[in-house]
Amino acid sequence: MQIVIRSTDKLRGPKALDLNPVLSALLAAARETSTDLARLRVVGDWVQYRQNFREPVDARLICPSAAASARAYRAGLEADADSEAATEGAGAGLEIGVDLRRAASADLADLFRRALNGGAGGQQRDGCRLYLEDWKAESAGCIWAFNALYWRALGLWEQATGNEYEQALPKGESDARNVAAAQELILELFRVWDDLAAQQALPEDLYVLELGVGNGNQARVWLDEFLRLDRERHGGAYYRRLHYLMGDYSPHVLERARANVSSHAEHVSSLVLDARSLTQTLRFLSAKAFLIYISNVYDNLPTDEIVRLGGHLFRVEVRAFIAGATAERLAAEIGVAPSALPDLAGRLLHLGPALLAEAAADRFHGDPLAAVALWRALWEALRLEERYVPIEELDTYEVAPGISGEILRPIVEANGDLRMHVSNGAAASFADSMPLLHPFGVLQCHDLFVTEIDQYQSGFRGPGKYDGSVVNWVNGPLLAAIGRRRGFDVQIRRFAHRSGSNVLTLTARVRE
Ligand SMILES: C[S@@+](CC[C@H](N)C(=O)[O-])C[C@H]1O[C@@H](n2cnc3c(N)ncnc32)[C@H](O)[C@@H]1O
């Protein structure tokens, strides 16, 4: 039996975590269970997001590889030719996840007993959960449809909560509106443009692309500063040639951002696009963008996690559920049977709260805010069941279009057993941004980055919930590897204009 404690920083200091109750409850439950303890792992995390998708104790099936499964199956048949139970889940292991932050207030004895006695595959028989989907790759799970809905219907969510989305970001506001950071970037652009102009190599149209624009505060700060500095230095000549492109997948968000930069309207275009597949929409921009600017977006793009155990690789699959008692309460509030909730959730994700309120007028009386109330309650109650499914060959796993899982090999082989994010959405976006950059262009991204793979061993990196959206730290070493292979120099540094923030700044430029 293997016990792994991440978040080691919580084990020392005046507020050191007392692991004794956790370990004694675990060992007591282990004494009573018939689960094969040699195939049991217990992992303690400190889940720092108060809103997240985990229970205080979770059971994760570790599915055997095809070969291990066949071996165990044969052995089971030989041992007991008549017993189906002997071969069910053959060769599988079990991981018990414990959220150490919530452990002290949980009934651990009971939770461990249930997790262990459910055993491998036991959760599939758990009648106390209402599932919203079948098993899926993490990046394809319905939490991402909830995330997209949040941006699509942000106005209604904010109206219901009375909070703007920025309040949920680290430190309560986006670094995107930091004036000093905008000035630094603009002055760097001016230097590049002045040099190109001196060599008569500066194109007439000067393109800047921002991805994931939110409320448009970054665009406004940037454009205001650009105009001011350009008037001071060039009499406004660059501003006259500037095209600021705002890209976002939410038409609602784009509309708000457009209103925010209305004084620069002649220089701004807004484009509905998916940040993960840019060249589809922006082919005209190939090798023309002098700046691609992204803040707090990569951590909001779908991602898988992979796990390495004893040299074998797995991907995390998820299945969203709501606890049975919560489902009963929510269903009673709107007068439906609990079994109707998955369909209602699907319609909510498809139609959005305003249309759902009309389509199901008997439940919501045409009031969009009543549908938002259900949305918020579902989101709060949403949990993910997880299992580990073998990746038989790395090259059969795709990180992003055109990026084979082989790119992960040096990272996973150099770092022993681990669980880490693949940041598939960020990888796709990053790789598809590079063809758009002018040879003297720069991509700049402020976000939550893991910079050393070790950080996955010592802390929880997501998924967490920010209000109605999802957050996962971004795998910096993987993005750097993707950039390097395409001839880009990738740096990740502390965000220079605010201290005490977890936000880092990634820059990518063509390698000289
Ligand atoms: C957390 S907000 C960040 C807004 C702003 N950049 C800031 O720093 O405040 C994330 C933004 O990314 C957008 N977004 C999320 N996923 C996207 C995708 N796949 N394609 C395009 N935009 C996306 C959302 O609509 C939202 O505007």
Side-chain angles (χ1 to χ4, degrees), residues 151 165 174 176 212-214 248-249 253 273-275 295-297 300-301:
W151 298 113
Y165 80 84
S174 171
V213 294
D248 203 287
Y249 70 170
V253 157
L273 50 74
D274 190 326
S295 107
N296 300 312
V297 179
N300 191 231
L301 295 177

Side-chain angles (χ1 to χ4, degrees), residues 428-495:
S429 183
F430 184 60
D432 217 23
S433 294
M434 285 174 217
L436 304 180
L437 277 178
H438 184 278
F440 289 97
V442 60
L443 177 147
Q444 189 180 82
C445 172
H446 304 302
D447 223 316
L448 296 168
F449 285 103
V450 164
T451 51
E452 305 288 339
I453 295 297
D454 268 2
Q455 289 170 272
Y456 286 113
Q457 310 285 27
S458 57
F460 179 78
R461 308 291 163 183
K465 296 179 192 171
Y466 274 169
D467 224 354
S469 67
V470 183
V471 59
N472 285 289
W473 291 49
V474 182
N475 189 328
L478 176 62
L479 292 201
I482 291 172
R484 268 197 309 275
R485 290 204 177 179
R486 285 166 169 70
F488 281 76
D489 180 33
V490 179
Q491 306 278 343
I492 303 179
R493 299 209 172 90
R494 191 148 286 290
F495 178 66

Side-chain angles (χ1 to χ4, degrees), residues 295-307:
S295 107
N296 300 312
V297 179
Y298 282 178
D299 66 2
N300 191 231
L301 295 177
T303 177
D304 286 342
E305 284 172 89
I306 56 167
V307 183

Side-chain angles (χ1 to χ4, degrees), residues 220-340:
R220 200 192 55 231
V221 166
W222 200 90
L223 285 160
D224 286 352
E225 279 310 297
F226 187 97
L227 177 58
R228 192 181 65 73
L229 291 168
D230 188 44
R231 276 194 180 136
E232 266 174 33
R233 279 149 219 250
H234 312 97
Y238 287 151
Y239 184 75
R240 282 192 286 280
R241 296 158 71 175
L242 181 72
H243 299 271
Y244 192 98
L245 310 178
M246 299 193 303
D248 203 287
Y249 70 170
S250 160
H252 168 77
V253 157
L254 276 175
E255 200 177 305
R256 275 165 68 159
R258 234 184 353 250
N260 204 349
V261 292
S262 55
S263 60
H264 300 282
E266 282 184 15
H267 297 273
V268 176
S269 307
S270 47
L271 301 140
V272 176
L273 50 74
D274 190 326
R276 290 166 295 174
S277 51
L278 297 168
T279 46
Q280 255 179 30
T281 324
L282 297 173
R283 206 164 293 285
F284 71 92
L285 201 59
S286 284
K288 289 189 180 142
F290 279 99
L291 170 64
I292 300 182
Y293 185 90
I294 313 145
S295 107
N296 300 312
V297 179
Y298 282 178
D299 66 2
N300 191 231
L301 295 177
T303 177
D304 286 342
E305 284 172 89
I306 56 167
V307 183
R308 188 176 192 236
L309 297 177
H312 298 285
L313 272 185
F314 302 81
R315 71 195 271 178
V316 180
E317 282 194 349
V318 297
R319 186 160 67 146
F321 72 93
I322 293 173
T326 314
E328 272 174 30
R329 180 175 51 78
L330 295 184
E333 278 168 19
I334 50 170
V336 297
S339 58

